[in-house]
Every structure is written in C-alpha cells, then in structure tokens.
Amino acid sequence: MTTLGAAERIASGAADIAINWAGGLHHAKKREASGFCYINDIVLGILELLRTHPRVLYIDIDCHHGDGVEEAFYTTDRVMTCSFHKFGEYFPGTGTQEDKGRGKGKGYSVNIPLKDGITDEAFISVFDPIIAKILEVYRPTAVVLQCGADSLAGDRLGCFNITMEGHAHCVQFLRKYDIPLILLGGGGYTVKNVVRVWAYETACALGIENDIDPNLPWNQYFEWFGPRYRLEVVSNNMEDLNVVDGLLDKVRTTALQQLQELTGAPSVGMHDVPRQSIGEHLGFRYDQTERRDNLDIKLAQHARYVYDLQESDTDTSDDDKSWDSDSDESRAQGCPKNSKKRMSILTGQCIDPTPVYDPAQAPGYEQQGTVPHIHPYGYGGYGYGFAEFDMHGAMYAQNAKRRFFYSGARWDETVEQIVAKRYGALPLPRSVGVVGRMMERGGRQVADDDMEEDEW
C-alpha cells in the first residue's frame, strides 16, 4: 500500500490503522530531493487526509529531523509536526526548539533535539508527556507516525541507543488513544534490525505483540539474523549524553511550555472539499470508471452481434446477387445491408451462411448420397465446409438457429464416461497446403487446368 492509498483508506473510514513501511521520505522538498528522499510521500498523504480531517498530527521518531514535512506545513495550524531527532553537527542541521512555526502555524511545530546515546528510559520520559499534551491540546483527528529505524541501537548512521521495544513503544502509546493512525517507514541502515523492528511494530499495530514467538522461524535469510536468531534489537554500552547537566529535562520543559501557550484546538471553517483526490490530481490514478464504461460498450456491441447471428433466417431474399471478390465495388461496399450474407475471411466474398451444398460447385467432392448442410463457418466453394448432423446422423434444418458454445458431449451412465457427439465422415478433397497457396493468391479461385497435380 502506498502512503496515498493509506491516507485514502483512513479518510474514507475503511481502516483505523494503515501501514506503508516503504514510505516515510521526510527530507524531500517541494522543488528538490534531499537526504535519500526524492519525493515527500508524507506531505502528499497528509494533504489527502486534510480533505476530510480538520487537524492532523505528524510525529517523527527518525534519528534525522523531519525538515521536509515541517517546512511544508510551517505556516498552517491544520497540521502539527513533532520531531524527535539528533541535533548538532548532524544532517540536516535543522530542528531547534526556536523553530516553532510562522503566521497561523506559530506554535504548531514542535522540535525535540536530542544528543547521542539516548536510551529507552530517557526517550520514553520525554516522548510520553509531550505527545500526551499534544493530544490533549491539539485534539487531532488523524495521526501520522514516521517510524524511522535509524534511531535504533547499532544503526550504521544513527547515534541513539534505543531497543526494539523502546522504538515500538511509540506505536503502542498512540494505539491506546484509538485515533486513526498511519504508520510509515523511513531511515534505517542496519537492514536486519530494520526488518525486525517493523515486523514487531506491525504486530503492535495488530495488538498481538505478546503472542508472537521471539525465536525466528527458518527462512532463506535466516543467517542474517545471527548469532541469536531472535526478534530483538538489544542496546549497547554507549554513553547517554542527554542526562548530562539535566539537558533532557530542559528540552522537555521547553516543549511543554510551548504547548501550554496554545489556546486550544484550532477550528476549521466551512469550505468545499476537493472532489479529486491528491493521487488523481497528480496523475497517479487512472480513471477506472472510463475503462469500465468502454468495456461495457464493447460487450454490448458484441452481444448485439451474437444475437443477430443467432436470428433464424426466416426471410429469404428473391434477389440473389453475385458478389465477386475481385470487383472493386464488393471490396468497397461489402455485403448488402440488412442481408443475412456474411463475408468470408478467406476470399472476401459474400456468401450465404446456410446454402444447400451443391457438389458441382466444389471440385473434389463426391456425392455421398445425402446432401449435407454446410456449416455456417465453412467455405463451400473450396470444399472446406463441413456438414452438421445430430446424434442420430440426421441433418440439421436449413433455417435452424446457430448454436454458440454448444457441446454435443453427454454423460453415458452405461459406461460412466463422457461420450462426444459424432459427426459423419467428411471427405477432404485437398491437402492442407492448399489453404496456404490459396491465401497467397488472395483467395481467388483458379481454373482446374492451371493447378498443379500436387495441389490435389
């Protein structure tokens, strides 16, 4: 599921929690790519949510500051952004607590700058009170959580000391509030830990984190998860610089004071909701309704054509016109309008689909004692039609309706097998190779004297 697809499901009420671990590209700007992010799917997803939700909360627990999302909604109060990130000589170098928003959005950008080595206990001590205060003051109707995995311990580019359980605590905390939630991926550069934490957080979203086995089952990538082969990301012996001189307490106090200054949940005036979704507006969706309409039209045309073919030939025309395939008029006009005649694919001639077979017109055929009825799909002029007989060898009537998708097979209870319908023996006056030569000549019949003996 894409981030736009997740937002559409949340907006329509089809889901309470939607996940896109391939999303979370929070650095991309409106006119430039940045930090491995070429398009900011988070911004597009939030814009889709804003079609139906008055207020959206965005939370970022990636090790890097979510600068692209903050910049997109820096001047509006309909989206509050809150980012927990490493700050100080670290990409992208933004996200101080002085960055609070501008204009109508002043106070609705919350930044929590952290230092190296933050542990689960320290991270939870700052995450829980700040997010709880935001939910109380801002009262969002939808939440987007970017679960960047580079904040885990042991990440190649990260510098935090958070375990899998500490990282997943954010998902568990938000799930308790029963607010529509979108979970997105993000950074993460130790692959085996990334898949561990996102698998575990998927279980947290489903509420089954206590039911799954921490011992990994055998799979083709089993060796990647050694030496313990368990669903876990353990901490290391990094020093936590956030507890030095009470730095973490100062950050928490500053953030809570900023939230206390907000007057309450901002209201949203009445306005027209765009009928087009963000995906349709950007051309990421194709109009399936138009495809269905075109298909219905084609099916209706086909149904009318089949119905016309199945009509019985009750009205016989006295005027038997001969349509020569070599004449320019027949090529241009085709078969007469409102006629039961059909044009042959082989020669382009208009033929009656239900004529009585005349042996004199088909060289190579010998009279079999019974004048057969040429099958409508056959071409009697060259002797490649075939006769239709019923189960008892009797010939079908000339004015009988043609049967489509009809099988003469039946179940024989005596032998307990399917018995196929039998037809009379049909002589084949010419070899199969004649058809190819005939098509090379454009379907024109040549005199018998001009044909070579090997064609007979």
Side-chain angles (χ1 to χ4, degrees):
M1 178 186 295
T2 63
T3 303
L4 277 174
E8 289 175 359
R9 287 181 174 271
I10 294 295
S12 64
D16 296 325
I17 300 178
I19 301 175
N20 177 26
W21 294 128
L25 309 180
H26 59 170
H27 291 307
K29 309 297 194 302
K30 184 177 182 180
R31 291 181 176 85
E32 66 177 357
S34 175
F36 308 140
C37 307
Y38 63 94
I39 184 172
N40 201 315
D41 63 293
I42 305 172
V43 172
L44 298 178
I46 293 176
L47 289 175
E48 178 64 30
L49 290 175
L50 291 176
R51 296 177 64 232
T52 53
H53 288 270
R55 293 173 300 277
V56 177
L57 170 62
Y58 170 71
I59 305 173
D60 194 319
I61 59 174
D62 193 286
C63 192
H64 302 86
H65 177 234
D67 56 332
V69 182
E70 179 183 275
E71 179 181 307
F73 303 107
Y74 202 66
T75 60
T76 180
D77 57 359
R78 293 195 60 191
V79 178
M80 175 176 278
T81 61
C82 181
S83 177
F84 299 81
H85 55 272
K86 162 70 186 303
F87 180 77
E89 296 183 358
Y90 197 72
F91 181 85
T94 57
T96 67
Q97 288 193 297
E98 285 73 25
D99 299 330
K100 300 180 181 180
R102 183 177 297 176
K104 290 183 63 177
K106 188 173 183 179
Y108 294 96
S109 293
V110 182
N111 287 293
I112 313 299
L114 303 171
K115 297 296 184 181
D116 293 357
I118 189 168
T119 61
D120 288 356
E121 183 180 359
F123 184 77
I124 293 174
S125 69
V126 69
F127 181 87
D128 287 6
I130 291 177
I131 297 302
K133 186 64 175 179
I134 290 176
L135 296 177
E136 175 189 347
V137 174
Y138 189 65
R139 294 170 57 192
T141 57
V143 178
V144 178
L145 177 62
Q146 199 264 20
C147 304
D150 52 5
S151 54
L152 289 171
D155 189 82
R156 295 184 178 184
L157 297 184
C159 50
F160 289 168
N161 195 15
I162 300 176
T163 66
M164 181 183 71
E165 289 77 11
H167 198 275
H169 171 79
C170 303
V171 178
Q172 296 171 328
F173 183 83
L174 290 169
R175 191 175 183 274
K176 295 177 183 178
Y177 283 86
D178 293 330
I179 301 175
L181 177 63
I182 295 179
L183 300 179
L184 303 176
Y189 308 98
T190 301
V191 179
K192 60 182 180 180
N193 290 342
V194 173
V195 297
R196 280 181 168 125
V197 71
W198 287 347
Y200 184 72
E201 287 174 347
T202 302
C204 292
L206 296 172
I208 59 172
E209 62 270 23
N210 297 324
D211 300 332
I212 59 177
D213 189 355
N215 297 310
L216 298 179
W218 170 258
N219 57 81
Q220 58 180 332
Y221 306 106
F222 190 72
E223 295 180 356
W224 286 21
F225 303 99
R228 293 172 60 86
Y229 306 102
R230 290 174 58 84
L231 188 63
E232 62 181 7
V233 178
V234 297
S235 61
N236 51 42
N237 58 355
M238 287 183 65
E239 181 185 1
D240 188 359
L241 301 180
N242 295 274
V243 297
V244 178
D245 299 330
L247 177 62
L248 192 62
D249 294 334
K250 295 178 182 178
V251 171
R252 179 174 56 248
T253 301
T254 303
L256 292 176
Q257 183 179 358
Q258 175 185 340
L259 296 172
Q260 190 66 34
E261 294 174 356
L262 297 177
T263 57
S267 60
V268 179
M270 299 293 293
H271 62 278
D272 292 333
V273 177
R275 295 183 179 274
Q276 268 191 332
S277 67
I278 299 298
E280 292 172 347
H281 179 73
L282 296 176
F284 296 155
R285 301 280 191 277
Y286 55 86
D287 191 359
Q288 295 187 3
T289 305
E290 183 178 353
R291 287 188 59 189
R292 286 196 297 268
D293 290 344
N294 292 337
L295 182 60
D296 290 340
I297 293 174
K298 291 180 180 180
L299 288 174
Q301 292 174 347
H302 179 71
R304 288 194 297 268
Y305 175 72
V306 172
Y307 178 78
D308 291 340
L309 288 180
Q310 291 180 336
E311 285 184 348
S312 60
D313 188 11
T314 55
D315 300 331
T316 57
S317 175
D318 296 336
D319 187 10
D320 240 352
K321 293 185 178 180
S322 175
W323 297 84
D324 186 7
S325 62
D326 292 337
S327 68
D328 295 335
E329 183 179 359
S330 67
R331 289 195 186 97
Q333 297 179 356
C335 299
K337 191 175 180 180
N338 300 327
S339 172
K340 297 301 180 181
K341 292 186 176 183
R342 297 291 180 260
M343 180 175 287
S344 170
I345 297 178
L346 187 61
T347 66
Q349 283 186 321
C350 286
I351 60 173
D352 191 345
T354 57
V356 175
Y357 182 68
D358 186 1
Q361 296 180 359
Y365 263 114
E366 296 181 1
Q367 188 92 11
Q368 300 294 322
T370 301
V371 178
H373 166 228
I374 296 300
H375 191 278
Y377 290 124
Y379 180 65
Y382 284 96
Y384 290 98
F386 57 91
E388 279 189 342
F389 297 87
D390 60 12
M391 296 292 295
H392 305 288
M395 182 180 58
Y396 286 129
Q398 288 187 11
N399 59 352
K401 293 184 179 180
R402 282 191 263 184
R403 301 183 181 182
F404 293 86
F405 313 110
Y406 174 76
S407 173
R410 62 181 179 82
W411 176 260
D412 195 327
E413 296 182 355
T414 305
V415 296
E416 296 185 351
Q417 290 183 354
I418 296 177
V419 179
K421 176 180 176 181
R422 294 186 177 181
Y423 294 95
L426 299 177
L428 293 177
R430 301 178 184 177
S431 64
V432 179
V434 179
V435 178
R437 299 187 184 94
M438 194 182 304
M439 296 179 68
E440 292 178 359
R441 295 193 299 269
R444 294 189 297 273
Q445 187 175 4
V446 298
D448 297 345
D449 298 338
D450 296 338
M451 297 183 66
E452 300 179 2
E453 294 182 358
D454 57 354
E455 295 184 1
W456 291 89

